[in-house]
Amino acid sequence: FGLGVVLGLAILLVRRHVPESPRWLFIHGRDREAERLVDEVEERVEQEKGVRLEEPSRSMTIHQRRSIGFGQIAHTMVARYPRRTVLGLSLFVGQAFLYNAITFGYAQILSTFFGIDTDAGYFFAVIAIGNFLGPLLLGRFFDTVGRVPMISGTYIGSGLLLLGTAWLFNQGVLTAVTLTACWCVVLFFASAGASAAYLTVSEIFPME
């Protein structure tokens, strides 16, 4: 519990040095600040790559406002973009089954089926490693390969791995150690997919 407090305070300090989303800034009327952030990123990329970035060939209209009402959000989600709403809900529901179902119920599974009542934290530490390495090692491919194939691949892959683990568990061939290893691999892919899905939906939907 104490470590959680320390991390929370650290996040408050880090947050002071993390820039706001340019998209959010522009929508809320802070376009000069948004342009400055984007210019800094473009300059850094041009220096690192040694190339001149091309000007965008297309544009879009953004209606600036300080806040978005729930009525407008509901209308946008249900009436204007129902397919996108279904997609976003599918990503979050899938994340709940592939990710939360493991992390929320693992201590109970260890206690009920393997008789482990006091050392569950060690098993959580192992699956946390896979949970951390997934976004760390796969994260860049969501930008280079593309979000659609990577989110689809990580969701489908982790789902198939979870089904395989469930079958092995039902056959009674898994121990606490091997089940932890299986779920570590599942979370390696599920965590990367869930992280990208969270960012995609929360950042751009149901706005422009």
Side-chain angles (χ1 to χ4, degrees):
F1 287 117
L3 183 59
V5 173
V6 173
L7 291 174
L9 294 175
I11 291 298
L12 289 177
L13 296 175
V14 171
R15 180 64 183 87
R16 296 173 60 89
H17 302 284
V18 176
E20 186 56 81
S21 160
R23 183 190 301 272
W24 186 93
L25 289 172
F26 200 89
I27 289 175
H28 289 77
R30 297 161 62 179
D31 41 287
R32 291 185 179 179
E33 189 175 349
E35 290 284 1
R36 187 176 69 252
L37 283 173
V38 174
D39 288 342
E40 291 175 357
V41 173
E42 290 177 343
E43 290 175 3
R44 190 179 309 121
V45 171
E46 289 177 344
Q47 291 175 359
E48 293 177 355
K49 301 296 184 180
V51 296
R52 180 70 179 175
L53 296 178
E54 298 180 5
E55 290 294 325
S57 58
R58 300 172 59 188
S59 62
M60 58 192 248
T61 301
I62 292 183
H63 304 285
Q64 294 182 329
R65 63 272 192 187
R66 291 191 174 275
S67 63
I68 304 175
F70 285 108
Q72 183 178 355
I73 292 175
H75 178 267
T76 303
M77 294 178 66
V78 176
R80 295 189 61 185
Y81 300 113
R83 293 178 60 187
R84 297 185 186 187
T85 299
V86 171
L87 172 62
L89 289 174
S90 299
L91 291 174
F92 286 137
V93 171
Q95 181 265 345
F97 279 96
L98 297 174
Y99 186 85
N100 293 347
I102 293 177
T103 55
F104 289 2
Y106 197 30
Q108 186 67 36
I109 291 174
L110 290 173
S111 175
T112 303
F113 295 99
F114 300 107
I116 298 174
D117 296 317
T118 57
D119 298 324
Y122 294 107
F123 294 89
F124 272 100
V126 174
I127 64 174
I129 294 174
N131 189 49
F132 172 73
L133 290 178
L136 181 66
L137 299 178
L138 299 179
R140 68 187 186 93
F141 296 112
F142 288 86
D143 288 326
T144 57
V145 176
R147 291 196 177 194
V148 172
M150 286 302 298
I151 291 178
S152 302
T154 51
Y155 266 70
I156 294 172
S158 55
L160 293 175
L161 289 170
L162 189 59
L163 283 174
T165 303
W167 183 83
L168 293 173
F169 180 81
N170 190 54
Q171 298 299 309
V173 298
L174 294 178
T175 65
V177 173
T178 54
L179 178 62
T180 301
C182 289
W183 276 359
C184 184
V185 177
V186 171
L187 286 181
F188 177 85
F189 294 99
S191 179
S195 299
Y198 265 127
L199 293 174
T200 300
V201 175
S202 64
E203 173 74 343
I204 65 173
F205 183 80
M207 298 180 292
E208 281 85 356

